[in-house]
Amino acid sequence: MSFFQEPPRLGNQYDDDALLRSYLDRVLPRDMRAGLEGELRELGELGGGYFYDFQLRDRLNEPTLMQWDAWGNRVDQIEVSPLWKEAETLTAKRGLVAVAYEQKNGDRSRIHQFALNYLVQASLDIYSCPLAMTDGAARTLLSLGNQELIQRALPHLTSRDPATFWTSGQWMTERTGGSDVGLTQTVAKQSPEGWRLYGTKWFTSATTSQMALTLGRPEGNGPGGKGLAIFYVETRGADGRLNGIQINRLKDKLGTRKVPTAELTLDGTLAEPVAGLTDGIRNMSWMLNVTRTWNAMGAAWSMRRALALAKDYAKRRVQFGALLSEKPLHVDTLAGLEAEFHGGFLLAFRAVELLGKLEAKTATEEELLLQRLVTPLAKLTTGRQVVHVTSEAVESFGGAGYVEDTGLPRILADAQVLSIWEGTTNVLSLDTLRAMAKGGALEALYADAERRLGAAKDAGLKPCVTAAQDALEKARAWVMKAMENPAAVEAGARRFSLTLGRTYELALLVEHAQWCLDNGHGPKATAAARRLTRNGVDLITDMDLDDARLLVS
C-alpha cells in the first residue's frame, strides 16, 4: 500500500493562538477588545488560509531587475512578486501602518496595529520590511517637525487607499560600513534646483518604494556622524523616471529573497534636508526606534509560524508506530521552543506598549527610561531566539524540513536576518550599555521586573521568581565589577544584555501566567514560565579576555 506524508496545515491564526488572545484580554479594555474581535479574526483567517496558500504557490517568484528596455534606454525597473503586489493592497485597506497614526485607541493603537500584523505577516514573504521603514519614516518626519514634508508625505505613508499609499526606504548602509554609518561617503551638494546627492548605497531593502530617508554629508561638513544630515528623497520625478538613481544590481541573499534589496548609485539625486544639515545619525534614531520594534515583532510571528506548522505536523506524522505528538522526546523538544516563543512574544509586545505610550505622550518618567532600554533588548533577544526556534522547528520535520518546495527552509533562512537587520546582536548589546549610561534606565527595568515578579501567587511560579531575581542580582553584581575594566565591559556586553532580556521575558511571563490562572485562561503560560526557567535565563559567566583573544587569533 502506498504511503504519502501529509503536509502541515494552518487554521485561523487568531482562533488558534491562545497566547495572543489571553494577552489582548489582559492589556486591552473589554469594550476595545470586543470592538477589535471581528477584524482580528478576519486577519487570522487570511493569514492561515488565503495568504498562506498564496505564499506556497508564489514560492519561486522573486524580484527581477530590468536595467534596459528594448531600445537601449536605461530604465532600472524592478518587478516584485505577485504576492507582494497583493500585500501592498492589503496593507492599505487594512491599515497595517495607518492604525498607529489614526490613534483611535489612544496609546494602545500600537498594540492594535501590531496584533493585526502579527496575524498575517508570516504569510506575506517579509513584506514587513518596507512596512517597518514606512512606519519609521512617518514617525521620523512627525518627530522632526518638518511641516512641508509632513504635509507632502504623511498622507501617503498612512493612506488606506491603495492608489495613494506609499512605502518608504531607509538608505543608510554604504561600502565603508554597515553599523558604523558615521563612515558614510555620500556627498550632498547644492545646485540651482536644490540639494543633490552623490554616492553609493550598498544595501537598500525597499528599493521599489516611492520615497526614502537617507544620510548624506553636506559639502564642507566634518567627518563622523555629526557631519551627516538626514535627507528626504522621492525616488521618481513627475515624468516617472528615476530621480538621479541607478540600480546596479539586486542582492543574492540567503533569505528574504522576496525583498528587492539593491545596490544604488546616487548621481545628482534631488533631495531635501529633513532637519538641518547636521546630526543625521541622531535624527535617524526616531526611525530605528520603530524599525527595531518591527524587528522584534517579526521574530515573534516567525516563531509562531514555525511552531504552528511543527505542532500540526506532529499530529499527522507517524514514526516507529506512533504519532510524533505522542513521542515524549519530540514533545519535550517542542515544549522548550514554545517557552522561548512565549517569552519573546511578551518582550516584543512590551516594546510595542512602550512605543505606543511614548508616541501618545502618556508614558511616565519610568516608562520613558524603560523604552530606551527595552527596545534594543527586545530586538537583540528575540533576534537570537528566532534563529534557534526556527532551526529546531525545521529539524522537527526531518528531511522534509530541508526540501525547498515544502516552504519550510524559507522560514529559517528568513529568520536569520532578524539578528542582523537594524543592528547585529553585538551592536545592540553596546546600545544597551549606552542606554544604561544615560542613567536611570537599568533601575527602571529592575523595578518593573520586580513588580511583575511580585504578582506571582501560585506555588508553581515560585521557582521562576527565584531564578529571575537571582539572575538580576548577578547581572547587577557583574556590572559593578566589570566597570573596573572597560575591556571586560565590552567583552561581556552580549551575555549581560541577553541575560537582561531573557530575565525580563521571564518576569513578563510570570505576571502573565498568574493573570491567566486568575482569569480563566488556564495553566499553559505557567508551564511556559517554568520551562523558560529550565531553559536558562542567566548567561553571565566569569571570563578571561586573554583566553578569548587566544581562541580567535
Side-chain angles (χ1 to χ4, degrees):
M1 183 175 179
S2 297
F3 172 77
F4 296 95
Q5 286 183 225
E6 274 197 74
R9 299 188 181 96
L10 294 175
N12 185 300
Q13 293 300 282
Y14 174 71
D15 289 335
D16 292 350
D17 195 330
L19 178 57
L20 174 66
R21 287 185 283 107
S22 64
Y23 169 76
L24 294 177
D25 278 352
R26 179 168 63 83
V27 300
L28 297 181
R30 183 170 297 181
D31 57 343
M32 184 185 298
R33 175 81 172 79
L36 299 179
E37 186 92 26
E39 183 182 24
L40 293 168
R41 184 162 283 114
E42 288 174 12
L43 264 292
E45 187 61 34
L46 289 171
Y50 176 80
F51 280 108
Y52 178 57
D53 293 340
F54 195 160
Q55 183 181 50
L56 293 176
R57 294 195 309 273
D58 200 49
R59 184 179 62 83
L60 296 177
N61 292 315
E62 295 184 0
T64 58
L65 169 62
M66 182 176 71
Q67 289 182 301
W68 310 92
D69 70 11
W71 305 101
N73 299 302
R74 184 78 185 254
V75 291
D76 286 348
Q77 184 68 43
I78 296 175
E79 182 75 11
V80 297
S81 70
L83 176 56
W84 260 49
K85 293 176 182 177
E86 195 155 335
E88 183 174 38
T89 299
L90 176 79
T91 294
K93 289 184 174 180
R94 295 288 181 163
L96 299 185
V97 174
V99 162
Y101 296 87
E102 293 164 349
Q103 288 280 301
K104 292 179 180 177
N105 291 307
D107 61 10
R108 293 177 175 87
S109 296
R110 281 289 184 185
I111 297 174
H112 176 194
Q113 176 204 19
F114 278 106
L116 296 176
N117 280 282
Y118 170 85
L119 288 167
V120 74
Q121 285 296 340
S123 295
L124 298 184
D125 283 340
I126 320 299
Y127 192 70
S128 54
C129 170
L131 296 192
M133 287 179 275
T134 299
D135 194 344
R139 176 48 51 196
T140 300
L141 293 176
L142 281 170
S143 298
L144 295 178
N146 186 319
Q147 291 303 314
E148 182 179 344
L149 293 180
I150 289 171
Q151 291 171 14
R152 167 68 179 153
L154 197 69
H156 291 290
L157 298 174
T158 60
S159 175
R160 283 182 177 261
D161 181 355
T164 60
F165 175 65
W166 284 4
T167 56
S168 176
Q170 171 190 304
W171 300 349
M172 295 174 68
T173 305
E174 300 196 358
R175 292 191 185 106
T176 48
S179 300
D180 190 359
V181 292
L183 297 176
T184 292
Q185 294 181 336
T186 295
V187 175
K189 300 180 180 181
Q190 283 189 306
S191 73
E193 299 82 20
W195 288 92
R196 291 187 179 273
L197 302 179
Y198 298 85
T200 299
K201 298 299 179 180
W202 195 238
F203 280 94
T204 60
S205 287
T207 314
T208 52
S209 293
Q210 291 85 352
M211 62 158 282
L213 296 182
T214 187
L215 293 172
R217 195 177 308 279
E219 279 191 308
N221 279 17
K226 180 73 175 176
L228 295 173
I230 183 173
F231 286 91
Y232 167 91
V233 170
E234 292 189 13
T235 53
R236 294 183 182 272
D239 60 359
R241 294 179 177 273
L242 284 169
N243 171 21
I245 299 167
Q246 291 185 346
I247 303 175
N248 301 326
R249 63 169 174 162
L250 295 177
K251 295 288 195 181
D252 187 8
K253 299 165 294 177
L254 168 68
T256 67
R257 296 189 67 87
K258 298 301 184 80
V259 182
T261 307
E263 296 171 19
L264 303 182
T265 294
L266 307 183
D267 187 17
T269 303
L270 275 170
E272 297 181 46
V274 177
L277 298 177
T278 59
D279 296 315
I281 293 177
R282 185 179 71 183
N283 290 332
M284 270 287 196
S285 66
W286 290 101
M287 174 170 278
L288 290 174
N289 231 11
V290 173
T291 55
R292 286 174 174 173
T293 304
W294 273 84
N295 200 102
M297 284 302 310
W301 65 61
S302 297
M303 287 189 281
R304 159 69 184 149
R305 172 54 52 86
L307 287 168
L309 292 170
K311 289 191 291 184
D312 183 80
Y313 185 70
K315 297 172 185 176
R316 301 176 186 278
R317 177 64 165 153
V318 174
Q319 287 285 273
F320 303 106
L323 292 167
L324 290 177
S325 60
E326 298 170 1
K327 298 286 187 182
L329 180 55
H330 195 80
V331 171
D332 181 77
T333 301
L334 293 183
L337 304 179
E338 186 73 18
E340 294 293 323
F341 159 63
H342 271 66
F345 172 100
L346 291 172
L347 180 56
F349 264 109
R350 181 63 177 139
V352 169
E353 294 166 17
L354 292 167
L355 178 62
K357 291 189 173 189
L358 173 70
E359 292 174 336
K361 296 182 170 55
T362 62
T364 64
E365 283 300 316
E366 183 181 272
E367 287 169 333
L368 292 174
L369 291 168
L370 259 179
Q371 196 274 336
R372 293 180 196 166
L373 188 53
V374 168
T375 299
L377 280 179
K379 192 278 181 191
L380 75 90
T381 306
T382 60
R384 295 311 316 158
Q385 285 175 306
V386 70
V387 175
H388 167 65
V389 169
T390 55
S391 176
E392 289 276 11
V394 166
E395 184 180 338
S396 77
F397 287 89
Y402 204 67
V403 176
E404 286 285 0
D405 56 8
T406 65
L408 297 166
R410 290 296 91 202
I411 298 173
L412 173 57
D414 290 344
Q416 183 64 66
V417 83
L418 295 171
S419 63
I420 299 172
W421 271 348
E422 311 309 316
T424 63
T425 308
N426 284 358
V427 168
L428 270 292
S429 297
L430 296 176
D431 277 2
T432 297
L433 296 183
R434 280 189 285 271
M436 285 168 43
K438 294 178 181 178
L442 186 60
E443 292 78 5
L445 183 76
Y446 272 65
D448 194 55
E450 286 289 357
R451 275 195 299 272
R452 295 171 191 279
L453 293 169
K457 297 176 292 184
D458 185 80
L461 291 170
K462 294 304 180 183
C464 309
V465 173
T466 300
Q469 290 173 334
D470 288 348
L472 289 172
E473 189 54 41
K474 188 173 178 181
R476 191 197 304 272
W478 179 86
V479 169
M480 299 303 294
K481 181 180 178 181
M483 293 300 287
E484 301 168 7
N485 181 353
V489 173
E490 180 171 331
R494 181 188 181 105
R495 286 185 288 272
F496 170 73
S497 297
L498 285 168
T499 295
L500 283 187
R502 291 181 64 80
T503 306
Y504 192 49
E505 283 185 350
L506 182 54
L508 294 168
L509 186 47
V510 164
E511 177 196 38
H512 185 68
Q514 186 63 60
W515 183 90
C516 286
L517 292 173
D518 294 342
N519 291 274
H521 282 273
K524 188 172 183 178
T526 299
R530 291 199 296 259
R531 187 54 185 260
L532 187 62
T533 301
R534 289 197 293 274
N535 287 355
V537 296
D538 177 8
L539 303 182
I540 293 175
T541 57
D542 293 329
M543 61 199 159
D544 188 321
L545 196 53
D546 290 334
D547 279 352
R549 290 184 176 123
L550 180 63
L551 286 167
V552 299
S553 63

